[in-house]
Amino acid sequence: MYVGRDMTELSMMSKTDWKDSELAFFHHSLQQMVPYLNAEGQTIHREIVEEIESRGGLNRGEADYTHGTKVSYD
């Protein structure tokens, strides 16, 4: 379950100020709805993807006993 700032609060901030977990959660959520997004929703999703890419992606390079290689947004 996601615990963090909602889209209303985040929409008033630059994507560069979002946490990785927020980017990951909203990317995943919007990715599930891509066929149904209007132009504004598609723009928001594209900006999130561009911010993730500018940070070098969300995948962890290695795993250890406390976490896997997938970023968790919980």
Side-chain angles (χ1 to χ4, degrees), residues 4-60:
R5 298 180 285 192
D6 65 5
M7 185 57 86
T8 304
E9 182 177 353
L10 291 170
S11 67
M12 294 183 269
M13 302 170 55
S14 169
K15 303 286 185 291
T16 57
D17 296 330
W18 290 26
K19 299 176 187 172
D20 286 349
S21 61
E22 293 164 340
L23 289 168
F25 175 77
F26 286 105
H27 168 58
H28 178 75
S29 297
L30 292 171
Q31 186 177 34
Q32 301 299 309
M33 300 183 290
V34 164
Y36 310 106
L37 294 176
N38 63 13
E40 185 177 1
Q42 291 173 5
T43 299
I44 292 168
H45 186 235
R46 181 178 40 78
E47 290 171 352
I48 289 171
V49 170
E50 289 172 356
E51 180 60 26
I52 290 170
E53 289 174 348
S54 75
R55 295 183 187 192
L58 294 174
N59 292 330
R60 297 185 72 97

Side-chain angles (χ1 to χ4, degrees), residues 56-64 67-71:
L58 294 174
N59 292 330
R60 297 185 72 97
E62 56 188 89
D64 64 21
H67 63 273
T69 56
K70 185 176 179 182
V71 173

